[in-house]
Amino acid sequence: MKSLFAQSGEKPIAKPYEPRPKMPKPLLTTEQAFYIVIGIILLMPVAGTFLYRRGHLLAGRILIGLFILLILINLLGTSEIGAKK
């Protein structure tokens, strides 16, 4: 059997052209996914307040705290101190 690489002056065996398999169509476009994520982020404090008032104190505090933490991380990343040049 000949190898695919030329040895001692032999010509390499050409491989037949194989087209790439078609990629599956994505479920969401990038823009749709972006708007869904933004919507979820903006609903976090609303859901947290709702849960807190209904008696689920820990879950409410966690959602509100995550939202505040997200805002603080964004502010740090865009500030002069946090942003690297």
Side-chain angles (χ1 to χ4, degrees), residues 1-35:
M1 181 177 158
K2 291 186 177 182
S3 72
L4 295 176
F5 301 101
Q7 294 176 357
S8 67
E10 297 176 358
K11 290 188 175 180
I13 301 170
K15 290 181 80 175
Y17 172 74
E18 295 177 12
R20 281 187 166 183
K22 289 189 177 180
M23 296 296 291
K25 193 173 182 182
L27 191 63
L28 296 171
T29 65
T30 306
E31 189 178 4
Q32 289 170 331
F34 173 76
Y35 286 128

